């Protein structure tokens, strides 16, 4: 359905009331809408399972993002023209002990259960996908295609066989770590710094096993040294499911130009994160920073993502307080234009074949003019505005990532996966 702006512009154009610039805008919007409707669109990272596993969230309803603090549901996916999305089984980093790993593993399987239960309860709306072919088939029915990824290898502990269990439950990628080092590798943001100078010996085994299974290795969140270790060892392409260009926003979560070039040589792809702090360097608000520091101190956390590791009742309280904090001290957000600056830079450095979209919605991703998944068409409009062709846009929206998926699938034989 055309929005009010488009309808008004087109009506005025037909009546001959618009100046040349407005006529140009109307033609651009019409072209962008046509491309967006025909392209198969994919987002490779959303933390929506955190909402599903907590209960009380109806993914079949058009939820208000400001009231519910949610960015993804099926009605809003349809509004934004998003065909497919990866739901992340996310675990914050906890104690690296036998007990800690056991607890994390139990929680991870609980999140898988929540995703599968939700899909079973909404068969008319969405369906699990594990291959590009699945996604295309599901898309033709009008349903949303739901992929699964695992964010943070922490819950596997030291047991490589858990990776096969994740794979069997539908996971097609795993992010090796999160905001802190784990037993697999160094993180890009651990305040203690490097522990292994890249991958640990266990991490090297994880790379080999994921290659064997046909599970994509996700390098978002890892340190630069870990990135290069994986590039050296992986025999199939790898990805960064929700990252950006460090040359545009100097954050350790983003990739340098040298890393981008190494990723391209590997055949991989970087999917653009829409968390504003990674999109644009935004001046800090002293009031918000102080309030957030106080909240983190109150619950003994190092970052907001650590809320997921709190006991259930404390977690509810902390999240409620965080929502109130956001109302009192709203964060300044980057824009779609700021985000597409990253796409432009990546394309300039390594070409159109190595970039896509991975917003990190429900995990912090949000822009001023793409606050949730319902506004995703704004990106296609900006791509058209900047001269990207229909073929280019189709590559960004899913073609590049699906190419990697197929390459990783071919790297593992059915016999190997069944072992």
């Amino acid at each position: 359905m055309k929005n009010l702006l488009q309808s008004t512009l087109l009506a005025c154009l037909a009546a001959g009331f618009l100046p040349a610039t407005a006529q140009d805008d109307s033609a651009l919007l019409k072209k962008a809408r046509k491309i967006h409707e025909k392209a198969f669109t994919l987002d490779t990272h959303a933390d929506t399972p955190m909402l599903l596993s907590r209960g009380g969230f109806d993914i079949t309803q058009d939820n208000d993002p400001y009231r519910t603090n949610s960015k993804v549901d099926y009605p809003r996916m349809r509004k934004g023209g998003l065909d497919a999305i990866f739901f992340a089984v996310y675990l914050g980093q906890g104690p690296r002990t036998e007990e800690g790993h056991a607890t994390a593993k139990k929680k991870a399987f609980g999140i898988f259960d929540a995703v599968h239960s939700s899909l079973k309860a909404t068969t008319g709306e969405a369906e699990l996908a594990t291959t590009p072919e699945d996604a295309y088939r599901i898309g033709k029915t009008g349903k949303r295609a739901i992929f699964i990824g695992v964010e943070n290898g922490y819950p596997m502990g030291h047991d490589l066989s858990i990776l096969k269990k994740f794979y069997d439950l539908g996971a097609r990628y795993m992010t090796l770590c999160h905001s802190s080092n784990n037993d697999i590798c160094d993180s890009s943001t651990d305040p203690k710094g490097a522990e292994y100078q890249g991958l640990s010996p266990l991490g090297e085994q994880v790379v080999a096993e994921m290659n064997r299974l046909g599970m994509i290795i996700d390098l978002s969140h890892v340190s630069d040294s870990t990135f290069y270790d994986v590039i050296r060892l992986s025999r199939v392409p790898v990805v960064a499911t929700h990252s950006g260009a460090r040359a545009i926003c100097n954050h350790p979560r983003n990739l340098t130009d040298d890393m981008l070039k190494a990723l391209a040589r590997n055949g991989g792809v970087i999917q653009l994160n829409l968390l504003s702090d990674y999109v644009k360097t935004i001046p800090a608000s002293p009031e918000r920073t102080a309030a957030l520091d106080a909240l983190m101190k109150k619950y003994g956390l190092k970052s907001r993502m650590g809320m997921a590791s709190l006991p259930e009742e404390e977690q509810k309280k902390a999240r409620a307080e965080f929502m109130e904090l956001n109302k009192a001290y709203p964060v300044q957000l980057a824009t779609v234009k700021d985000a597409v600056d990253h796409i432009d830079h990546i394309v300039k450095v390594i070409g159109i074949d190595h970039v896509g979209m991975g917003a990190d919605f429900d995990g912090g991703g949000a822009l001023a003019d793409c606050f949730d998944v319902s506004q995703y068409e704004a990106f296609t409009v900006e791509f058209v505005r900047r001269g990207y062709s229909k073929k280019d846009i189709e590559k960004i929206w899913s073609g590049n990532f699906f190419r990697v998926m197929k390459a990783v699938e071919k790297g593992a034989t059915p016999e190997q996966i069944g072992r």
Side-chain angles (χ1 to χ4, degrees):
M1 181 182 293
K2 293 182 176 67
N3 63 31
L4 181 61
L5 174 61
Q6 289 173 292
S7 299
T8 303
L9 282 171
L10 291 174
C12 291
L13 176 62
F17 295 153
L18 292 180
T21 53
Q23 291 179 28
D24 290 344
D25 283 346
S26 176
L28 186 149
L29 287 169
K30 187 175 180 180
K31 179 180 179 180
R33 173 162 287 277
K34 186 176 180 180
I35 291 172
H36 196 73
E37 286 177 347
K38 291 189 175 181
F40 192 90
T41 50
L42 168 72
D43 181 314
T44 56
H45 193 88
D47 284 299
T48 310
M50 288 197 294
L51 298 172
L52 297 175
S53 61
R54 290 201 296 268
F57 175 70
D58 189 346
I59 197 168
T60 68
Q61 296 299 308
D62 187 345
N63 294 277
D64 182 337
Y66 299 96
R67 186 176 61 81
T68 64
N69 204 34
S70 74
K71 303 293 197 298
V72 178
D73 53 44
Y74 298 147
R76 282 182 286 172
M77 286 181 72
R78 285 193 295 274
K79 280 184 181 179
L82 186 65
D83 297 301
I85 197 164
F86 268 85
F87 280 172
V89 175
Y90 161 71
L91 266 295
Q93 188 59 46
R96 289 162 57 183
T97 61
E98 186 174 343
E99 181 181 356
H101 287 132
T103 299
K105 180 174 72 173
K106 183 178 179 181
K107 286 183 178 180
F109 285 128
I111 297 170
F112 272 108
D113 286 346
V115 173
H116 285 286
S117 294
S118 175
L119 288 171
K120 286 178 183 177
T122 58
T123 55
E125 297 271 4
E127 189 176 329
L128 179 69
T130 59
T131 66
E133 291 75 20
D134 282 346
Y136 293 138
R137 172 184 57 77
I138 294 165
K140 288 178 181 177
T141 70
K143 298 180 185 180
R144 305 304 100 180
I146 306 300
F147 290 92
I148 300 176
V150 174
E151 185 176 22
N152 195 359
Y154 169 53
M156 66 155 275
H158 295 173
D159 185 356
L160 292 174
S161 71
I162 298 296
L163 293 172
K164 172 66 161 56
K165 293 178 180 177
F166 288 165
Y167 184 92
D168 290 344
L169 287 168
R172 288 301 178 266
Y173 74 68
M174 185 174 81
T175 319
L176 297 185
C177 66
H178 192 246
S179 56
S180 301
N181 302 337
N182 60 18
D183 287 7
I184 296 171
C185 66
D186 292 333
S187 166
S188 63
T189 52
D190 194 311
K192 298 188 298 295
E195 187 172 334
Y196 313 105
Q197 306 304 319
L199 287 169
S200 70
L202 172 65
E204 294 182 358
Q205 295 178 59
V206 169
V207 168
E209 179 64 1
M210 290 179 70
N211 279 181
R212 185 188 75 80
L213 287 171
M215 186 184 292
I216 302 167
I217 298 169
D218 176 19
L219 297 179
S220 289
H221 285 290
V222 306
S223 70
D224 293 9
S225 296
T226 299
F227 174 94
Y228 286 113
D229 276 355
V230 174
I231 291 289
R232 174 175 55 84
L233 291 173
S234 181
R235 57 181 175 78
V236 294
V238 300
V239 301
T241 63
H242 54 302
S243 294
R246 204 177 299 178
I248 301 299
C249 180
N250 187 19
H251 192 288
R253 275 278 284 101
N254 290 337
L255 275 58
T256 67
D257 285 1
D258 284 344
M259 293 166 79
L260 291 172
K261 291 172 185 175
L263 185 71
R265 289 193 296 270
N266 165 269
V269 60
I270 175 174
Q271 305 287 109
L272 182 63
N273 186 305
L274 303 188
L275 201 153
S276 285
D277 285 346
Y278 306 152
V279 173
K280 184 178 182 179
T281 303
I282 296 171
S285 158
E287 295 83 6
R288 179 182 172 86
T289 299
L292 189 57
D293 286 347
L295 180 63
M296 294 300 101
K297 184 178 180 180
K298 178 178 178 179
Y299 289 96
L301 301 174
K302 293 179 181 178
S303 73
R304 182 179 65 83
M305 297 304 289
M307 289 182 191
S309 63
L310 292 171
E312 187 173 350
E313 285 307 311
E314 277 194 82
Q315 190 178 138
K316 288 180 181 178
K317 292 178 182 178
R319 291 186 185 283
E321 290 181 35
F322 180 70
M323 289 180 71
E324 290 303 314
L325 185 153
N326 276 337
K327 291 176 184 177
Y329 308 106
V331 67
Q332 183 182 341
L333 298 176
T335 66
V336 169
K337 288 184 178 180
D338 294 327
V340 178
D341 287 346
H342 285 254
I343 300 281
D344 283 352
H345 180 80
I346 293 165
V347 170
K348 180 180 178 181
V349 173
I350 58 175
I352 193 65
D353 295 323
H354 304 281
V355 65
M357 300 297 298
D360 204 3
F361 283 133
D362 289 333
L367 301 176
D369 45 355
C370 187
F371 193 69
D372 68 6
V373 74
S374 72
Q375 297 177 299
Y376 242 159
E377 186 181 303
F379 273 89
T380 300
V381 172
E382 188 62 22
F383 293 151
V384 172
R385 194 184 307 279
R386 298 198 188 194
Y388 287 93
S389 69
K390 176 177 178 289
K391 185 177 179 181
D392 291 339
I393 294 168
E394 289 171 345
K395 287 183 176 184
I396 293 170
W397 272 121
S398 65
N400 292 335
F401 193 88
F402 280 165
R403 169 184 55 78
V404 171
M405 280 196 82
K406 291 175 182 178
V408 174
E409 287 168 18
K410 289 179 180 178
T413 66
E415 292 79 10
Q416 286 175 320
I417 294 173
R419 265 167 44 189

